[in-house]
């Protein structure tokens, strides 16, 4: 009777270890942890990736050269994604399970828009830092000196 319990205990431990190994290998095998070079030059898409610091470099529908850095989790955009146009940060968008939660638009101060609106405003010349903009640069208000200066 004692021998049967020991054998059953050993078999159940082996079965549990096999099941855990199969589960972990099935999850880990479906996502890449690095990007192919060709995938970096497409609009941001996390399909098939599970990685930090994913990056994309592409021209958007407004003709802007966009660089994006973000995190892909289980094939979805998750966390903060930073969007740069001509090396200047235009937006930071928080994603959760591939859905846009909130976008901070860094054009003329920090505003909250959706990403499409922010990129559209930037493309239409509202940002004085964008090259090729025919508008005069924004004038900064003079800084008041404090009593302690």
């Amino acid at each position: 009777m004692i021998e049967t319990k020991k054998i059953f205990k050993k078999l159940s431990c082996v079965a549990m270890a096999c099941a855990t190994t199969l589960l972990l290998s099935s999850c880990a095998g479906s996502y890449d942890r690095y990007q192919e070079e060709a995938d970096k030059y497409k609009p941001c898409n996390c399909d098939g990736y599970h990685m930090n610091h994913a990056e994309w470099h592409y021209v958007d529908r407004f003709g802007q050269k966009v660089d994006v850095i973000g995190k892909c989790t289980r094939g979805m955009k998750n966390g903060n994604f930073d969007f740069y146009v001509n090396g200047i940060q235009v937006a930071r968008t928080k994603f959760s399970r591939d859905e846009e939660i909130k976008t901070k638009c860094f054009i003329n101060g920090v505003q909250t828009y959706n990403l499409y609106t922010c990129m559209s405003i930037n493309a239409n010349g509202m940002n004085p830092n964008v090259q090729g903009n025919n508008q005069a640069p924004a004038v900064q208000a003079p800084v008041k000196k404090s009593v302690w200066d």
Side-chain angles (χ1 to χ4, degrees), residues 17-64:
C18 289
T20 303
T21 303
L22 286 174
L23 179 66
L24 292 175
S25 66
S26 68
C27 293
S30 61
Y31 299 110
D32 290 330
R33 295 195 178 270
Y34 65 92
Q35 283 177 291
E36 298 289 332
E37 280 300 311
D39 291 336
K40 290 182 181 182
Y41 295 96
K42 297 177 182 177
C44 61
N45 185 349
C46 283
D47 287 345
Y49 292 114
H50 185 83
M51 60 184 288
N52 294 326
H53 307 295
E55 59 182 78
W56 297 270
H57 314 282
Y58 63 95
V59 176
D60 71 358
R61 66 181 77 186
F62 304 110
Q64 304 175 107

Side-chain angles (χ1 to χ4, degrees), residues 145-149:
K145 291 188 176 186
S146 70
V147 178
W148 303 105
D149 289 338

Side-chain angles (χ1 to χ4, degrees), residues 46-144:
C46 283
D47 287 345
Y49 292 114
H50 185 83
M51 60 184 288
N52 294 326
H53 307 295
E55 59 182 78
W56 297 270
H57 314 282
Y58 63 95
V59 176
D60 71 358
R61 66 181 77 186
F62 304 110
Q64 304 175 107
K65 292 180 182 177
V66 180
D67 299 311
V68 182
I69 299 172
K71 177 182 176 183
C72 298
T73 304
R74 291 181 281 152
M76 297 177 282
K77 290 180 272 210
N78 196 40
N80 291 326
F81 279 66
D82 293 322
F83 291 81
Y84 298 86
V85 174
N86 296 327
I88 299 167
Q89 188 171 12
V90 174
R92 173 173 284 159
T93 301
K94 180 169 179 74
F95 286 94
S96 179
R97 296 184 183 205
D98 249 356
E99 291 195 28
E100 182 178 338
I101 302 299
K102 182 178 179 182
T103 296
K104 289 183 182 177
C105 191
F106 301 116
I107 300 170
N108 296 330
V110 178
Q111 301 290 327
T112 302
Y113 300 111
N114 64 24
L115 182 60
Y116 178 84
T117 303
C118 183
M119 297 304 270
S120 174
I121 290 170
N122 189 65
N124 290 323
M126 297 297 286
N127 188 351
N129 297 320
V130 176
Q131 294 175 352
N133 184 353
N134 293 331
Q135 291 181 336
V139 179
Q140 185 176 0
V143 178
K144 294 181 181 178

